[in-house]
Amino acid sequence: MTNYREVQRTTLLPDQIAADIMAKITEGTLQPGDTLPTEHALAGTFGVSRNVVREAIARLRSDGVVESRQGRGAVVKPITERETFRVDIQALGKSGNLADLFELRGLLEIEAAGLAAVRRTSVDLEEMCKAIAELDGGSRFDDRRLEADAAFHRAIGKATANAYLYGIICYISSRLKETARITSNIYEKDDLVQVTRAEHLKILKAIEVGDRTQARRAMADHISAASKRLNVPVKPIGHL
């Protein structure tokens, strides 16, 4: 039987258990087609009630990671058959995963910035300005500035006027939210917030004047700089 770790008793028990099972799937310990242990077995292993395990499995089912099959229980689905897109935070520490996520971010957000430059409204610009203003007055990313950073990218996604693009940018920005905090521990200078704010301002100004090319370039520069601050070797995305 696959070894799991006993989780600490908190209000996020189902999330912790779902994350632990997902980590086993991501690393290949659990393969597509494998059946998860019974609720009773998992409850004993994690040291929780069956209701907690049931909720954790329900979350994995909602994410399209497992499916219930009569007579077998919860079965791991092949990634090609999953109906939902999911980024496993625990797996981002593995070699190449964070680089792949940054590359995806570039492919989406560079074009989003370009679309925002030609589709943004005055309300969109106000939201971007508000997010940038929240970055003032500090040198490190606390909770308020982490949210402001994510809010700026969400505002750009919203300004594309494409609901699907907006949705996936919101999701990715939430997954990358903590990378700013990690950067604070890696980046040796004390101007991280100011540098990030300046990069955001360049993007905003290009979007504000409707310069699609410059907006794409400014976003590309921002993502490239952010990856370098995290020592993430992002693949080149070609000429803009």
Side-chain angles (χ1 to χ4, degrees):
M1 176 179 171
T2 301
N3 293 322
Y4 298 94
R5 55 183 175 81
E6 183 172 349
V7 297
Q8 298 300 312
R9 295 184 178 277
T10 72
T11 57
L12 299 177
L13 282 175
D15 287 334
Q16 292 182 41
I17 292 171
D20 195 79
I21 294 172
M22 187 65 202
K24 297 292 187 295
I25 295 171
T26 301
E27 67 192 21
T29 304
L30 287 170
Q31 295 285 332
D34 285 350
T35 303
L36 298 186
T38 65
E39 291 178 2
H40 178 75
L42 286 172
T45 300
F46 286 113
V48 298
S49 70
R50 291 179 64 178
N51 285 338
V52 172
V53 170
R54 191 174 296 119
E55 187 175 346
I57 293 175
R59 295 184 187 189
L60 291 171
R61 189 184 300 113
S62 177
D63 283 340
V65 175
V66 302
E67 65 179 350
S68 296
R69 294 183 185 174
Q70 190 169 2
R72 289 192 61 188
V75 177
V76 179
K77 295 179 66 175
I79 192 169
T80 54
E81 296 181 11
R82 295 177 191 171
E83 295 89 358
T84 58
F85 176 75
R86 188 178 190 276
V87 175
D88 179 17
I89 291 296
Q90 291 189 356
L92 287 182
K94 289 199 168 188
S95 177
N97 284 359
L98 190 55
D100 285 348
L101 186 56
F102 261 90
E103 183 175 39
L104 175 61
R105 181 186 177 190
L107 293 170
L108 292 171
E109 292 203 61
I110 290 170
E111 191 56 41
L115 288 174
V118 296
R119 296 178 180 175
R120 87 288 183 276
T121 66
S122 59
V123 173
D124 294 325
L125 292 174
E126 287 175 10
E127 291 183 5
M128 293 177 211
C129 289
K130 181 180 178 181
I132 290 176
E134 286 292 310
L135 291 174
D136 288 338
S139 61
R140 298 185 69 82
F141 274 98
D142 53 16
D143 289 341
R144 191 188 91 188
R145 291 178 181 84
L146 284 171
E147 171 56 25
D149 183 50
F152 177 74
H153 291 277
R154 289 198 303 267
I156 291 175
K158 184 179 177 184
T160 67
N162 183 309
Y164 296 113
L165 184 55
Y166 173 51
I168 195 168
I169 286 176
C170 285
Y171 178 76
I172 290 176
S173 67
S174 73
R175 299 293 90 180
L176 283 167
K177 197 171 181 180
E178 285 303 307
T179 61
R181 195 193 302 275
I182 296 170
T183 303
S184 296
N185 298 325
I186 296 175
Y187 188 67
E188 295 180 352
K189 299 179 182 179
D190 62 358
D191 61 349
L192 179 59
V193 175
Q194 290 87 345
V195 167
T196 301
R197 182 181 181 279
E199 291 168 2
H200 283 190
L201 272 174
K202 288 182 180 179
I203 299 168
L204 171 62
K205 288 178 180 178
I207 291 175
E208 190 173 22
V209 299
D211 190 331
R212 184 171 189 170
T213 299
Q214 188 55 40
R216 294 177 76 249
R217 183 173 292 113
M219 179 62 80
D221 289 344
H222 171 54
I223 293 174
S224 176
S227 68
K228 288 178 182 177
R229 289 191 286 267
L230 267 174
N231 298 320
V232 175
V234 177
K235 306 162 192 174
I237 57 177
H239 178 70
L240 290 177

